[in-house]
């Protein structure tokens, strides 16, 4: 049986400082964020009742809004507290959280300096972004048609809703062809990221990943880089060209939703999820657990 639509679920959502019944958390159809993409968001996970790197996510949310020229009227500490309240009110320990901030409906036009800034936080059960059985075998990824834009033309350092438009198009196209996701190049034709996750490659014991200067430098990405270095693995953050793809032995992607997910194919290129990927998967699983349980 399929899950109910997101607007028809039960529970509580934090909305502009108050907990409201899930189905009552609505906004007007003439909200600026809907028409002009003036919206930013975060994706976070709670494990055992603790939100992994909650403050880092809250600070990034506020920074993303600043890049889009608006200020969220709550501090990072207040956002952290609101997220904890959402978990508690919904009786959840393991959950996915979605804070989202947007410009309201006071003005309707490109300029909207007077619009109220809204903030909402929801939480729901989302065990794995990819099918768990398939994940262990490695997912199949297609090559995307669209590219990540030049950072001189788009606010690539922000987790802005509008930047995900080409990701949705690319992921839909990949799924229709039987793939789980799509790999995007940057505006200069270099390997960038997947539609909602960063990408890593392994060759001769070295972990390679693209430089995050035209796409989001993911919190999970940085966590995995740190875990790899703790293991003594060499990590090379560098430019990666598509013609290098056949030369790598292993590949995996990272993100709050994806966590650490092995890749078995990118278009015609094959990879075998191996020991280094497995080690980093296990290390990440241990890292996100509440320290009292992981000890």
């Amino acid at each position: 049986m399929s899950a109910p639509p997101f607007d028809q679920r039960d529970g509580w959502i934090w909305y502009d400082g108050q907990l409201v019944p899930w189905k009552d958390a609505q906004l007007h159809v003439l909200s600026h964020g809907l028409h002009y993409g003036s919206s930013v968001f975060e994706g976070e996970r709670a494990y055992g009742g603790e939100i992994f790197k909650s403050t880092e996510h809250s600070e990034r949310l506020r920074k993303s809004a600043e890049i889009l020229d608006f200020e969220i009227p709550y501090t990072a500490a207040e956002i952290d507290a609101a997220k904890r309240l959402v978990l508690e009110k919904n009786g959840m320990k393991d959950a996915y959280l979605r804070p989202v901030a947007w410009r309201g409906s006071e003005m309707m036009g490109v300029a909207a300096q007077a619009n109220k800034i809204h903030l909402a936080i929801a939480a729901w059960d989302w065990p794995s972004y990819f099918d768990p059985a398939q994940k262990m075998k490695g997912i199949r990824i297609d090559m995307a048609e669209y590219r990540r834009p030049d950072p001189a033309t788009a606010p690539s350092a922000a987790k802005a809703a509008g930047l995900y438009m080409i990701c949705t198009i690319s992921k839909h196209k990949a799924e229709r062809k039987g793939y789980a996701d799509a790999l995007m190049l940057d505006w200069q034709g270099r390997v960038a990221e997947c539609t909602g996750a960063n990408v890593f490659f392994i060759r001769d014991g070295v972990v390679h990943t693209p430089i995050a200067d035209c796409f989001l430098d993911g919190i999970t990405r940085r966590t995995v880089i740190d875990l790899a270095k703790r293991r003594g693995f060499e990590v090379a953050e560098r430019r990666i060209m598509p013609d290098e793809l056949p030369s790598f032995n292993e590949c995996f992607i990272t993100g709050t939703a994806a966590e650490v997910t092995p890749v078995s194919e990118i278009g015609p290129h094959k990879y075998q999820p191996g020991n280094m990927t497995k080690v980093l998967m296990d290390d990440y699983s241990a890292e996100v657990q509440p320290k009292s349980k992981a000890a």
Side-chain angles (χ1 to χ4, degrees):
M1 184 176 179
S2 61
F6 274 89
D7 62 344
Q8 294 299 313
R9 300 189 179 196
D10 294 319
W12 297 85
I13 290 177
W14 189 96
Y15 195 140
D16 288 346
Q18 297 183 13
L19 285 168
V20 300
W22 189 288
K23 297 174 185 177
D24 294 340
Q26 301 177 3
L27 66 156
H28 197 273
V29 70
L30 294 180
S31 294
H32 194 274
L34 175 63
H35 291 253
Y36 296 97
S38 55
S39 173
V40 297
F41 70 98
E42 283 294 316
E44 310 178 38
R45 281 193 187 272
Y47 299 87
E50 292 188 16
I51 302 167
F52 184 61
K53 297 197 173 179
S54 178
T55 300
E56 196 169 336
H57 279 284
S58 296
E59 290 173 344
R60 188 174 69 178
L61 182 71
R62 286 178 49 81
K63 181 62 177 178
S64 293
E66 179 184 321
I67 293 172
L68 266 63
D69 196 35
F70 67 86
E71 182 179 357
I72 296 174
Y74 300 94
T75 66
E78 289 171 330
I79 297 171
D80 286 349
K83 287 183 286 188
R84 291 193 297 269
L85 185 61
V86 168
L87 284 180
E88 180 182 341
K89 183 66 174 179
N90 286 288
M92 305 182 82
K93 295 290 187 182
D94 299 295
Y96 181 88
L97 292 98
R98 172 57 56 84
V100 57
W102 68 97
R103 285 192 175 97
S105 54
E106 287 75 15
M107 298 174 67
M108 183 49 59
V110 173
Q113 294 95 331
N115 285 34
K116 179 178 179 179
I117 305 304
H118 299 274
L119 175 65
I121 302 168
W124 63 88
D125 180 39
W126 196 0
S128 178
Y129 196 48
F130 298 103
D131 177 75
Q134 186 63 34
K135 180 175 177 178
M136 297 308 299
K137 301 175 184 177
I139 61 169
R140 299 174 63 243
I141 293 176
D142 194 17
M143 294 298 298
E145 177 182 354
Y146 282 99
R147 296 184 176 189
R148 301 311 303 171
D150 182 338
T153 68
S156 60
K159 194 170 177 67
L163 294 175
Y164 284 80
M165 175 182 65
I166 57 174
C167 299
T168 296
I169 295 170
S170 300
K171 190 170 174 67
H172 283 183
K173 185 174 181 179
E175 289 180 344
R176 281 194 291 268
K177 293 166 65 176
Y179 293 93
D181 205 345
L183 180 68
M184 308 180 82
L185 304 180
D186 69 14
W187 87 103
Q188 291 187 321
R190 305 169 303 200
V191 174
E193 62 173 349
C194 289
T195 62
N198 295 126
V199 66
F200 289 78
F201 303 93
I202 296 173
R203 182 178 61 208
D204 299 329
V206 178
V207 180
H208 303 258
T209 193
I211 298 170
D213 60 354
C214 66
F215 56 87
L216 200 67
D217 183 7
I219 290 173
T220 307
R221 175 186 183 273
R222 293 198 298 266
T223 301
V224 169
I225 288 174
D226 180 60
L227 291 172
K229 290 179 177 178
R230 285 190 225 168
R231 281 280 181 181
F233 298 159
E234 181 182 348
V235 178
E237 294 183 70
R238 63 179 184 83
R239 307 298 185 192
I240 299 174
M241 300 304 296
D243 61 10
E244 291 187 66
L245 293 178
S247 70
F248 296 113
N249 309 114
E250 300 179 49
C251 177
F252 62 89
I253 62 174
T254 65
T256 294
E259 299 175 301
V260 178
T261 296
V263 173
S264 62
E265 298 179 28
I266 299 179
H269 312 300
K270 310 292 185 183
Y271 306 96
Q272 182 64 48
N275 183 63
M276 287 180 68
T277 297
K278 180 65 164 56
V279 165
L280 291 172
M281 287 178 67
D282 291 345
D283 285 355
Y284 184 77
S285 295
E287 183 74 9
V288 299
Q289 294 301 318
K291 297 308 175 186
S292 60
K293 295 183 180 181

